[in-house]
Amino acid sequence: MNNVSPWTYEAVQRLKELAKEGMPASVISLKLKRPITDVRAKLSDLGITPATEEH
């Protein structure tokens, strides 16, 4: 198990908002201060496809 805190209702709502705004997972991870793997996993759990990464 990793030592990242569980997702709170507020964090999930924020995650949904950021994804809806078109933010890529890497940016969401920085804004929520969570590992990108956790962000991608939660988005997947919610059935949300994040925006593609800008290079």
Side-chain angles (χ1 to χ4, degrees):
M1 244 356 248
N2 60 20
N3 55 1
V4 175
S5 58
W7 286 91
T8 62
Y9 174 80
E10 290 79 10
V12 171
Q13 294 308 106
R14 185 77 178 121
L15 173 72
K16 289 179 181 178
E17 286 171 20
L18 294 170
K20 190 175 173 185
E21 288 170 16
M23 302 240 177
S26 59
V27 176
I28 294 171
S29 132
L30 291 171
K31 289 188 175 282
L32 297 181
K33 297 179 175 67
R34 286 184 170 269
I36 192 163
T37 51
D38 280 17
V39 169
R40 285 192 176 129
K42 183 50 93 174
L43 285 169
S44 178
D45 289 349
L46 296 169
I48 298 170
T49 303
T52 54
E53 301 291 330
E54 300 277 330
H55 292 285

